[in-house]
Amino acid sequence: MAAKINEAHDHIAKAEKYLKTSFMKWKPDYDSAASEYSKAAVAFKNAKMLEEAKEAYLQEAEAHTNNKTRSFCYRALEAAGMMLKVSMFFSLQDMQRIPEAIQYIERASMMYVENGTPDTAALALDRAGKLIESQDLAKAVDLYQKAASVFENEDRLRQAVEMLGKASRLLVRQHKLDEAAVSIQKEKNMYKEIENYPTCFKKTIAQVLVHLHRNDFVAADKCVRESYSLPGFSGSEDCIALEQLLQGYDEQDEDQVHCVCNSPLFKYMDNDYAKLSISLRVPGGGKKKAPASAADAGEGAEAGEADEDEYAGGLC
């Protein structure tokens, strides 16, 4: 351990020497300094001195910036952010530094895009999103949406829709249902474009649940109607279940809604949507169908006969 620490400090000293100027040396040697800072960061990391490793990576990034070797700068910035991430496993106090780590990774991702390596940028944003989820769901959504945009701009729709799916679930978890409805619709459009129709059906279920929780039956019904144009949707178990759900909700039939929402098709969705399903209630508290007794059945029959007699001659 001590040897690694000494090695790191030796590399720092060499880097500082490369940066010094003199009468005979007018320009700092940024390239050599960056290399030494990088070696120092690795040595500090191996010695479990993660804060020092982070600082060494930041110094490396600065040297690369001054040397106009920007692609190496991005990697150093992202590495600095990852050092903060690793340090969080060793100290609960470091959890407060997650936003700082995200800042470095996000800066690096923007530079990756500018440098023509969008895939690396999107993956960095995805990593940052996973890191911040436990502290700031809104920021995680923002990062996943940015990653989706980067992939979408590169026509990488499968990767883009995966990022959007993460954002949609987190929006539901935050009860930002208006935003979630928009996000899920965008997911559905992408799955339709790549002809993944079975997943479109599942997204329709998610849409309906979100809209019903928004108390917007019209929007929920519209989602189902639009899905009839999807190959294989009409007559599918998804379609039948959604028709039953909407019928029960519209008729305020609590039993029918409860039955559909607790079916395996709904219960085994992604956890955030499954919670929407289980917690769905019909407007006004709903009603339960009471089983008809024999006496009720007889009375019903008599009433039916009376109605028949009353209108036997027609309405006019």
Side-chain angles (χ1 to χ4, degrees):
M1 189 74 73
K4 288 293 179 186
I5 295 171
N6 289 334
E7 178 188 344
H9 285 298
D10 286 343
H11 287 303
I12 294 290
K14 289 178 182 177
E16 290 173 349
K17 187 176 179 181
Y18 282 123
L19 292 176
K20 285 181 180 177
T21 57
S22 63
F23 180 73
M24 299 296 293
K25 180 188 172 189
W26 294 358
K27 185 180 177 182
D29 185 351
Y30 292 117
D31 189 42
S32 298
S35 177
E36 293 299 331
Y37 281 130
S38 178
K39 292 173 184 176
V42 172
F44 278 132
K45 183 170 67 173
N46 291 337
K48 301 294 189 291
M49 297 178 68
L50 302 177
E51 176 63 23
E52 288 78 2
K54 181 209 77 173
E55 290 299 329
Y57 277 125
L58 290 177
Q59 288 171 309
E60 180 195 353
E62 185 179 355
H64 283 306
T65 300
N66 290 326
N67 198 40
K68 294 183 172 51
T69 50
R70 300 185 68 186
S71 60
F72 292 103
C73 169
Y74 319 149
R75 295 176 194 172
L77 272 176
E78 187 180 358
M82 296 309 290
M83 281 304 96
L84 282 171
K85 175 184 176 181
V86 173
S87 72
M88 291 164 205
F89 291 101
F90 294 90
S91 171
L92 289 176
Q93 292 178 344
D94 285 335
M95 292 296 288
Q96 299 175 358
R97 304 189 65 188
I98 290 180
E100 184 184 352
I102 297 304
Q103 184 182 26
Y104 294 135
I105 297 173
E106 199 168 4
R107 278 176 57 195
S109 69
M110 290 170 63
M111 292 177 176
Y112 282 133
V113 172
E114 292 170 3
N115 195 52
T117 52
D119 283 2
T120 309
L123 291 173
L125 288 167
D126 181 27
R127 285 194 290 270
K130 291 174 185 173
L131 180 58
I132 198 71
E133 266 190 36
S134 61
Q135 275 200 347
D136 189 342
L137 289 176
K139 183 60 179 175
V141 168
D142 176 57
L143 291 166
Y144 289 139
Q145 288 174 336
K146 286 178 179 176
S149 294
V150 172
F151 278 130
E152 188 178 4
N153 289 338
E154 296 300 308
D155 290 327
R156 302 276 298 278
L157 295 187
R158 283 182 172 79
Q159 290 78 8
V161 77
E162 182 183 347
M163 297 295 106
L164 271 181
K166 293 181 180 183
S168 300
R169 290 191 291 274
L170 294 188
L171 287 168
V172 168
R173 197 176 303 173
Q174 296 173 83
H175 303 289
K176 294 182 177 179
L177 299 182
D178 291 348
E179 294 177 47
V182 173
S183 185
I184 296 169
Q185 182 62 52
K186 191 169 183 181
E187 281 186 76
K188 188 174 171 182
N189 291 342
M190 284 191 183
Y191 279 118
K192 184 177 179 180
E193 193 169 341
I194 60 178
E195 299 182 351
N196 186 341
Y197 300 120
T199 305
C200 285
F201 305 166
K202 305 306 178 191
K203 293 304 168 184
T204 303
I205 294 177
Q207 280 182 306
V208 168
L209 289 170
V210 167
H211 285 311
L212 292 182
H213 271 274
R214 294 173 61 243
N215 298 314
D216 192 343
F217 178 84
V218 173
D221 186 57
K222 183 181 177 183
C223 287
V224 176
R225 291 181 182 280
E226 288 177 345
S227 295
Y228 283 116
S229 65
L230 297 171
F233 180 73
S234 181
S236 67
E237 63 171 347
D238 306 82
C239 176
I240 294 167
L242 285 171
E243 287 173 345
Q244 291 174 347
L245 175 61
L246 290 177
Q247 180 189 31
Y249 190 91
D250 190 38
E251 296 176 358
Q252 297 188 347
D253 186 340
E254 186 179 335
D255 284 341
Q256 184 162 324
V257 169
H258 180 271
C259 181
V260 175
C261 286
N262 283 272
S263 66
L265 183 65
F266 282 67
K267 283 177 70 175
Y268 298 118
M269 297 178 71
D270 287 317
N271 195 43
D272 293 298
Y273 299 125
K275 287 180 179 178
L276 286 184
S277 174
I278 293 169
S279 62
L280 184 63
R281 298 290 179 269
V282 298
K287 61 184 179 183
K288 293 189 176 181
K289 290 181 180 177
S293 65
D296 291 339
E299 289 173 5
E302 289 174 8
E305 287 172 6
D307 289 342
E308 254 184 22
D309 290 341
E310 184 179 353
Y311 296 108
L315 293 173
C316 298

